[in-house]
Amino acid sequence: TTIGYGGQVVLPLRITPVDVDAPVKLAVGLDIGVCREICVFESAQLAHTLVPGLDEYAWLVQEARAAVPGPGALVGLESVVCRIGGEGRERSFEAELHFDKPMPEAMVVVEGADGMWFHGAKTVASGEILQVRAELSLIEEAAWIGRDAVRMTVLAKDMAADVRGC
């Protein structure tokens, strides 16, 4: 399962100018995958000059920040329990996320620290509970997996939540 973006994408950057009264010239190189049924890699070079006192894109950044997933507690997450099983490079991951309301059609994306990745994630919604199962692959066979290194993003129709640790 892959998550992509459609339409407009905003990647806000925090820029601290050396001279707050002088224009700031930006030059950015992008390498992106453009996908529909297959992905094609594209490269682009972008340039823009920011003029002090002229916030022509401030509304766009504010709109994008409002869409960023917030802490789970703000959207009704009551508890999280997870289990990591197995040994060696291939492990299993299970989690239960309890909300204060039903979460139909929700999807959970699971991420980990460097050297670990989650794949084959499946989310099952049952009333207020989301059950997540995924495979966990490790670069180091004997790596310690701290549950605080697990990050889950819950995506539902009108809500997104950031869940750090379990």
Side-chain angles (χ1 to χ4, degrees), residues 36-97:
R36 176 158 288 187
E37 292 180 24
I38 62 167
C39 293
V40 177
F41 291 101
E42 296 285 337
S43 294
Q45 302 297 317
L46 306 172
H48 185 72
T49 301
L50 299 173
V51 179
L54 180 61
D55 288 337
E56 59 189 302
Y57 297 107
W59 65 274
L60 192 58
V61 173
Q62 287 174 335
E63 194 176 88
R65 281 187 174 163
V68 170
L74 295 180
V75 293
L77 180 65
E78 295 178 335
S79 67
V80 180
V81 176
C82 69
R83 291 171 290 286
I84 299 171
E87 57 186 52
R89 286 192 172 89
E90 300 301 319
R91 314 273 179 101
S92 63
F93 175 81
E94 295 180 0
E96 279 192 3
L97 294 85

Side-chain angles (χ1 to χ4, degrees), residues 69-134:
L74 295 180
V75 293
L77 180 65
E78 295 178 335
S79 67
V80 180
V81 176
C82 69
R83 291 171 290 286
I84 299 171
E87 57 186 52
R89 286 192 172 89
E90 300 301 319
R91 314 273 179 101
S92 63
F93 175 81
E94 295 180 0
E96 279 192 3
L97 294 85
H98 296 251
F99 286 85
D100 64 357
K101 60 186 164 290
M103 301 297 290
E105 299 181 33
M107 176 178 132
V108 179
V109 178
V110 188
E111 301 172 83
D114 288 344
M116 69 173 68
W117 63 97
F118 294 86
H119 49 95
K122 303 280 188 238
T123 305
V124 176
S126 178
E128 295 84 14
I129 300 172
L130 294 179
Q131 294 178 326
V132 182
R133 287 188 171 77

